[in-house]
Amino acid sequence: QVQVVESGGGVVQAGGSLRLSCAASGSIFSINAMAWYRRAPGKQRELVAAITSGGSTNYADSVKGRFTISRDNAKNTVYLQMDSLKPEDTAVYYCNALIQGSLRWGQGTQVTVSS
């Protein structure tokens, strides 16, 4: 059974930082792309950042220069370092991973940025 589990969400003041983690576990032979999405209240889910197995990254324009995605292939884990957080970053953050051709999603972790 392959699972993807996020952690690291919480409440932070504007201008602060948080680091999210997402670990994949189970019978895993290979993970291709990994990504972070978010869904803010009343809005559609949007891509925040993605990273390939080779380390290539892309970011939503709204987070460029503030968020950094990285991964540890040995640990099957992807991270999202979020700096200079803004109230508009408040959302449930979801991780997904393309594992052996199957897209797996985590359950989400809440990030709340207070002004």
Side-chain angles (χ1 to χ4, degrees):
Q1 183 80 5
V2 175
Q3 286 188 314
V4 175
V5 179
E6 304 98 336
S7 60
V11 180
V12 64
Q13 287 191 330
S17 299
L18 279 176
R19 188 192 195 209
L20 305 183
S21 299
C22 171
S25 62
S27 297
I28 297 172
F29 301 103
S30 66
I31 303 179
N32 294 323
M34 304 182 83
W36 288 96
Y37 285 74
R38 67 186 180 188
R39 188 193 302 271
K43 295 187 177 181
Q44 290 189 329
R45 185 176 63 192
E46 63 173 351
L47 174 67
V48 176
I51 185 167
T52 67
S53 57
S56 298
T57 60
N58 69 285
Y59 296 91
D61 287 343
S62 59
V63 306
K64 279 181 183 175
R66 299 189 298 121
F67 290 11
T68 303
I69 189 170
S70 61
R71 64 190 283 174
D72 184 334
N73 291 330
K75 296 182 179 179
N76 292 331
T77 299
V78 63
Y79 306 97
L80 186 67
Q81 177 66 42
M82 306 186 292
D83 299 318
S84 302
L85 282 161
K86 303 176 181 179
E88 51 263 45
D89 293 318
T90 295
V92 178
Y93 284 70
Y94 299 90
C95 165
N96 74 25
L98 186 60
I99 301 173
Q100 282 120 234
S102 214
L103 192 61
R104 306 283 184 168
W105 288 87
Q107 80 289 347
T109 185
Q110 176 71 45
V111 172
T112 302
V113 184
S114 61
S115 56

